[in-house]
Amino acid sequence: MKKAVLALLALGGMLCAHAQTEDELKTQLAEKKDSIAAIQGRVDAIQAQIDALPGWKIGAFGTIGGTISQFNNWFAQGTPNNNAGNIGITGNAFANLQQEKFFWRNALTTNLTWVKIDDKDDPNDDDSFQPTTDVFNLSSLYGRKLSEKWAVSGLMEYRTTLLNNFNDPGYLDLGVGVTWTPITNLVVVIHPLNYNFVFAEDDTIFNSSAGAKILADYTRQIGAISFKSNVSIFASYEDSDLSNWTWTNGFAYTLWKAIGVGFDFGLRSNKQEALNYEVNTLGNTTATFDTIDNELQTFWTLGLSYAF
């Protein structure tokens, strides 16, 4: 009986000691996390000071995603014998010059995707990689500072595709106005004097016009995370059917050295492109701006990322 009581007392003492030790370790862990947060705060503050220094700031990050598959006698699907592949590449790069009285910001965004499917039972099928996502955006913004947060500015922005129908359509915005930089890394462009040049073979659908240009860009790196968000809006003074907007986003998380995981997605609305697809691709020649459904255009890519 005494031995049982002693054993229970010993077990109870061990449990209490374990609980006490665990609580102490959790307390120490919380203290360390608070210290890490404080250190990271000081690091971010120093980085903000570095970003505000005059001179060039250059950077880039991108995403590479891909899949490869093969099916043999997989009769549950319509093409039981096939080889398939998907490759996606995105890139976000910037080169910004900051000086006491002016700034010059340059940015490049690309998103390219190819898909192939080789039906081994059909010798006449097209087994080459076909482009599916095709985005190219280049912008250059120059501003002469009026104050710490406001500047008189001029913008050039060019948007098109690279793999298919290069410059058909292509969009070139040229305009002047003001630029607002309320916080570090955020740039808001407001240009009421802007002309949207549209290049296309079908000039019955695509038309150039004057309008207002609004562009907002936020690019930042916090530790292992890099991200960029850009929204570009053109509001035509001539006709709302000629207006358009595009919103692109890129994220990259570094896991090891410069390699990590990346995710990109984009949204766009462009009624001229919607009508062109309806008339010249689907063959609905009676379609007009009033009859088409201007559906939201979207894309996304997930894969490995590489930061420069």
Side-chain angles (χ1 to χ4, degrees):
M1 184 65 181
K2 291 181 178 179
K3 292 182 177 179
V5 172
L6 291 173
L8 289 173
L9 291 174
L11 179 60
M14 292 174 60
L15 292 174
C16 290
H18 173 75
Q20 184 179 10
T21 301
E22 183 177 358
D23 290 339
E24 291 175 350
L25 290 173
K26 287 182 177 179
T27 300
Q28 294 177 20
L29 180 60
E31 293 175 352
K32 297 297 183 184
K33 286 184 176 179
D34 290 341
S35 299
I36 292 173
I39 293 171
Q40 186 61 53
R42 293 195 294 270
V43 170
D44 292 342
I46 295 173
Q47 184 62 53
Q49 294 178 15
I50 293 174
D51 293 339
L53 291 174
W56 283 99
K57 302 293 186 299
I58 300 174
F61 66 94
T63 301
I64 300 176
T67 62
I68 298 176
S69 64
Q70 182 181 69
F71 288 87
N72 293 304
N73 302 320
W74 198 264
F75 298 116
Q77 62 185 16
T79 309
N81 301 290
N82 72 76
N83 295 319
N86 177 293
I87 300 173
I89 301 173
T90 69
N92 298 280
F94 63 90
N96 300 329
L97 175 62
Q98 186 71 245
Q99 294 293 347
E100 181 181 355
K101 295 183 179 181
F102 71 92
F103 60 80
W104 184 23
R105 302 178 62 90
N106 304 277
L108 171 66
T109 299
T110 60
N111 189 303
L112 309 174
T113 303
W114 297 263
V115 173
K116 71 167 289 184
I117 179 168
D118 177 17
D119 184 354
K120 292 184 287 186
D121 296 325
D122 183 1
N124 298 318
D125 71 331
D126 187 353
D127 59 357
S128 61
F129 277 94
Q130 300 295 320
T132 54
T133 304
D134 193 354
V135 177
F136 179 85
N137 187 300
L138 177 66
S139 66
S140 183
L141 173 69
Y142 178 83
R144 198 76 182 177
K145 296 180 181 179
L146 299 173
S147 65
E148 182 180 351
K149 296 184 178 181
W150 289 94
V152 176
S153 56
L155 172 71
M156 182 283 295
E157 184 185 43
Y158 177 65
R159 307 182 307 282
T160 186
T161 56
L162 294 179
L163 306 178
N164 271 335
N165 305 320
F166 174 71
N167 207 41
D168 184 24
Y171 306 91
L172 175 64
D173 278 294
L174 296 175
V176 294
V178 296
T179 294
W180 180 42
T181 52
I183 60 174
T184 305
N185 303 311
L186 174 61
V187 177
V188 180
V189 177
I190 307 168
H191 284 181
L193 300 177
N194 183 90
Y195 200 83
N196 179 235
F197 295 91
V198 183
F199 310 101
E201 291 186 5
D202 192 341
D203 56 8
T204 62
I205 295 176
F206 292 99
N207 291 281
S208 304
S209 66
K213 182 72 175 182
I214 300 175
L215 184 147
D217 184 275
Y218 188 74
T219 304
R220 190 175 180 186
Q221 180 173 349
I222 304 175
I225 301 174
S226 299
F227 57 92
K228 177 183 179 66
S229 183
N230 180 282
V231 59
S232 176
I233 302 170
F234 172 72
S236 175
Y237 294 146
E238 181 178 330
D239 194 322
S240 62
D241 291 334
L242 306 181
S243 302
N244 61 78
W245 61 266
T246 302
W247 183 31
T248 57
N249 300 270
F251 302 88
Y253 181 77
T254 302
L255 298 173
W256 177 74
K257 293 186 177 180
I259 300 175
V261 177
F263 177 67
D264 290 76
F265 74 91
L267 308 173
R268 178 156 67 189
S269 176
N270 190 313
K271 206 166 186 179
Q272 294 179 95
E273 292 178 351
L275 179 59
N276 180 64
Y277 179 78
E278 187 76 20
V279 173
N280 295 316
T281 301
L282 300 183
N284 183 9
T285 56
T286 61
T288 66
F289 282 117
D290 296 327
T291 62
I292 62 167
D293 183 10
N294 184 27
E295 296 181 349
L296 183 67
Q297 305 176 42
T298 68
F299 74 80
W300 63 269
T301 302
L302 175 66
L304 295 177
S305 67
Y306 189 87
F308 297 91

